[in-house]
Amino acid sequence: MRFDLIDLALFVHVVEAGSLTAGAGRVHLALASASARIKGMEDLLGAALLERGRRGVSPTPAGRMVLHHARVVLGQMERLRGDLGGFSRGWRGVVRLAANTAAVTGALADDLGPFLRDQPLIDLDLSERTSARIIAALAEGAVDLGIVSDAVEAGGLQARPYRRDRLVVVMAPDHPLAACAELSFARVLAEDGVGLGEGAALQDYLERQARRLGLSPRLRVRLRGFEAVCRLVAQGIGLAVIPEDAARRAGAAVAQVPLAEPWATRLLLVRARDFETLAPPARRLADHLAPPPLP
């Protein structure tokens, strides 16, 4: 079985575009040539890879398997180009790191600063995603390292502990609950709330915990980002549950009270498909953020 990189790139683009014509255009192939390549792949496999419908094409079960491996191979080639491309200028490396909101809005910038300063030939491609999407990107080889919550299933990915992520309740400093030593989540849910937008990993996590209590948040407004949440909370609009690091950055504008539930303290993990087989730049960053365990 022999597929070349053009075959794999074509197949990925066709699936992502949902159209053979659009996918062919993305890799600068004529439609007839692209169609012949896809047919050649199907002939080699002995299985159909695409289903044709009125709305375009979609992958068959065999096509989804090819799509997964194609993304892995193309991602590895992209990493190879990135790692080798700087040799003419003196060796450089690029590390693709994806981190969840708790990490990005927490201490990650402070942790990355010394590394980037001490490693001037290593560049960083940092993206913010939900933990679930980071797991998928790692599995597909789309990123080298991910920082995720330990609450998310990760299949066979390897993990090292990074930091504790503690959730606290923030409110206006003059709120009657501001003097409490701690608050139960049920008590928080009895108040008006300020939350994050649809699809935010933390908001999804909090809503799952609420459902376990048979309750639902009374959110008056949803916002993007903890800074905006804290600004409204400071005006007495409602209570919010956010990471302690984010609350600390809001300073005296808000009061913060710990959540009483054990699940309010989560562990952030650095994950990779295999730490030992990472390219040297990515391995250095992994060792910096989350040192390997002692033998």
Side-chain angles (χ1 to χ4, degrees):
M1 184 186 304
R2 293 184 180 180
F3 299 153
D4 62 27
L5 294 178
I6 296 176
D7 289 336
L8 298 180
L10 169 65
F11 188 74
V12 169
H13 283 298
V14 167
V15 172
E16 290 179 348
S19 164
L20 185 59
T21 302
R26 290 183 182 184
V27 293
H28 310 292
L29 286 175
L31 179 58
S33 177
S35 181
R37 280 181 175 270
I38 296 293
K39 186 178 185 306
M41 294 174 70
E42 292 177 326
D43 289 344
L44 280 172
L45 283 172
L49 298 179
L50 296 173
E51 292 178 342
R52 278 77 172 176
R54 288 182 300 174
R55 297 186 177 181
V57 296
S58 59
T60 64
R64 286 193 291 272
M65 181 64 70
V66 170
L67 178 66
H68 166 73
H69 287 286
R71 283 172 169 164
V72 170
V73 170
L74 293 171
Q76 290 173 335
M77 291 303 299
E78 190 61 35
R79 284 201 300 275
L80 177 62
R81 282 192 288 269
D83 290 342
L84 297 180
F87 270 99
S88 62
R89 304 182 298 276
W91 187 86
R92 296 193 71 89
V94 178
V95 182
R96 298 169 301 167
L97 171 67
N100 67 5
T101 305
V104 171
T105 60
L108 183 58
D110 294 333
D111 293 336
L112 290 175
F115 176 82
L116 293 172
R117 185 179 60 245
D118 295 342
Q119 303 286 341
L121 296 181
I122 296 179
D123 298 329
L124 183 63
D125 179 3
L126 173 63
S127 60
E128 180 179 345
R129 313 185 192 189
T130 64
S131 291
R133 289 181 177 176
I134 293 170
I135 295 300
L138 284 167
E140 294 174 356
V143 296
D144 304 304
L145 297 170
I147 302 179
V148 301
S149 165
D150 64 344
V152 178
E153 285 293 326
L157 297 176
Q158 294 183 359
R160 294 179 187 173
Y162 171 52
R163 283 181 175 272
R164 291 284 174 184
D165 171 36
R166 185 183 184 191
L167 298 175
V168 299
V169 187
V170 290
M171 63 201 75
D174 59 354
H175 193 283
L177 298 179
C180 295
E182 64 179 16
L183 287 168
S184 70
F185 191 44
R187 182 67 185 86
V188 173
L189 293 171
E191 300 286 326
D192 288 337
V194 178
L196 296 170
E198 294 286 349
L202 175 58
Q203 196 62 47
D204 290 345
Y205 181 67
L206 293 174
E207 290 176 5
R208 286 199 303 273
Q209 300 300 331
R211 286 195 294 271
R212 290 177 181 173
L213 298 173
L215 302 170
S216 60
R218 293 187 345 219
L219 298 181
R220 296 194 63 195
V221 62
R222 291 175 178 267
L223 300 164
R224 289 182 61 86
F226 297 126
E227 183 180 351
V229 167
C230 287
R231 285 204 300 270
L232 274 190
V233 164
Q235 298 176 57
I237 305 304
L239 276 57
V241 177
I242 65 174
E244 187 175 31
D245 284 337
R248 189 178 297 117
R249 281 195 297 279
V254 298
Q256 59 174 289
V257 177
L259 268 178
E261 279 74 12
W263 55 257
T265 299
R266 304 178 297 169
L267 179 62
L268 295 180
L269 303 171
V270 174
R271 286 197 178 272
R273 296 177 72 184
D274 184 342
F275 287 104
E276 292 302 316
T277 60
L278 287 170
R283 194 181 313 159
R284 290 180 196 174
L285 179 58
D287 291 346
H288 171 78
L289 294 174
L294 294 174

